[in-house]
Amino acid sequence: SFVARQAELGEQEGSASWLSRIRDVLHDPHTTRVGILALAAEVGYHPAYVSRAFRRRFGISIGQYARRVRLARTARALVVDTDCPLSSIALAAGYQDHSHMSNDFRARIGTTPSDWRRFVIRRD
């Protein structure tokens, strides 16, 4: 029945170590880009179910979460390895190129990666 299925899904989400597994994959420094199909295959659930459950659990979509992780990885790399070229940081973080990283960074942080790097280094 519908009620039994919803209860079963709720139990799966309640213990949902598989949701934590998806989050861990997104945080893995070796993961630069991964799609919903690969994530769903990783945990053995249908992609639509994985998307809904992730949003319910974490309050944002998998894509939004992945972008936040990528941006945090970028911001950290900019100040940890100050000699590393921006294009290398962009590729390591999963951006297609330096331009995509700069546009995303400026849109979400409000400044360019170069200015961020200078500001944080000067502040320390």
Side-chain angles (χ1 to χ4, degrees), residues 1-13 52 56:
S1 81
F2 176 77
V3 173
R5 174 132 170 83
Q6 290 303 105
E8 178 184 312
L9 292 176
E11 287 172 14
Q12 289 174 346
E13 284 180 36
R52 281 192 311 272
R56 258 192 305 259

Side-chain angles (χ1 to χ4, degrees), residues 41-68:
E42 174 81 23
V43 296
Y45 288 106
H46 190 277
Y49 175 67
V50 169
S51 293
R52 281 192 311 272
F54 190 93
R55 183 181 294 272
R56 258 192 305 259
R57 175 80 174 273
F58 297 107
I60 59 175
S61 72
I62 292 173
Q64 290 169 317
Y65 193 93
R67 282 187 290 281
R68 287 182 181 182

Side-chain angles (χ1 to χ4, degrees), residues 5-58:
R5 174 132 170 83
Q6 290 303 105
E8 178 184 312
L9 292 176
E11 287 172 14
Q12 289 174 346
E13 284 180 36
S15 61
S17 63
W18 61 271
L19 282 170
S20 296
R21 173 71 187 127
I22 288 175
R23 189 188 59 213
D24 292 346
V25 167
L26 295 173
H27 280 275
D28 183 330
H30 299 101
T31 301
T32 54
R33 287 195 170 267
V34 63
I36 184 65
L37 294 177
L39 290 170
E42 174 81 23
V43 296
Y45 288 106
H46 190 277
Y49 175 67
V50 169
S51 293
R52 281 192 311 272
F54 190 93
R55 183 181 294 272
R56 258 192 305 259
R57 175 80 174 273
F58 297 107

Side-chain angles (χ1 to χ4, degrees), residues 55-115:
R55 183 181 294 272
R56 258 192 305 259
R57 175 80 174 273
F58 297 107
I60 59 175
S61 72
I62 292 173
Q64 290 169 317
Y65 193 93
R67 282 187 290 281
R68 287 182 181 182
V69 169
R70 186 169 49 239
L71 191 62
R73 188 177 292 153
T74 301
R76 190 171 32 259
L78 287 167
V79 297
V80 168
D81 191 357
T82 58
D83 294 331
C84 189
L86 295 179
S87 57
S88 296
I89 290 173
L91 294 176
Y95 289 99
Q96 290 180 325
D97 54 35
H98 174 225
S99 175
H100 283 90
M101 176 187 73
S102 292
N103 290 338
D104 188 37
F105 206 88
R106 190 176 313 112
R108 299 187 193 296
I109 304 294
T111 188
T112 65
S114 297
D115 287 344

